[in-house]
Amino acid sequence: MDTKTIDSNADTVFNVHWRLTATDDTNNDADGNPQTASVYGTQSLDTSDLSSFTAFADLTASDVQGWVETAMTADTVTEMKTGLDATIAELVTPTSETKTIG
């Protein structure tokens, strides 16, 4: 997380670096590991209203996840999860194959 002081609130989180990972525990890869897919990025947060400010030391992962999901919107989060599920489905049952000559 990136922080700075805003309106005398030290360590105000204004940007979050996140990763979303999907795991299929049913269909393992050739090495016996679960199939996984992930996406990552950063999300800036609206810090214009700090009336319900939470000190950095009191933050939980759940708090920050909620902020990020709200900033992204539920539709975007759902699209990312759907995309990860599709990626895992392609790993489990490929619809194409890459080949080389020679």
Side-chain angles (χ1 to χ4, degrees):
M1 292 177 281
D2 299 322
T3 67
K4 62 183 174 183
T5 299
I6 300 175
D7 298 335
S8 302
N9 295 303
D11 294 327
T12 302
V13 177
F14 68 93
N15 192 50
V16 177
H17 304 259
W18 55 266
R19 177 180 305 275
L20 179 62
T21 301
T23 303
D24 179 348
D25 294 325
T26 304
N27 299 293
N28 294 338
D29 65 16
D31 296 324
N33 300 310
Q35 299 284 3
T36 62
S38 64
V39 61
Y40 62 92
T42 59
Q43 179 62 51
S44 57
L45 302 176
D46 180 5
T47 58
S48 62
D49 178 8
L50 297 177
S51 59
S52 60
F53 178 78
T54 303
F56 188 84
D58 297 329
L59 289 178
T60 65
S62 179
D63 292 332
V64 178
Q65 179 179 343
W67 297 343
V68 169
E69 289 182 2
T70 296
M72 287 181 167
T73 74
D75 288 344
T76 300
V77 174
T78 298
E79 287 173 14
M80 284 191 293
K81 289 179 179 180
T82 300
L84 292 175
D85 289 344
T87 299
I88 289 176
E90 181 67 21
L91 292 170
V92 172
T93 309
T95 58
S96 66
E97 183 177 352
T98 302
K99 295 184 175 187
T100 58
I101 297 176

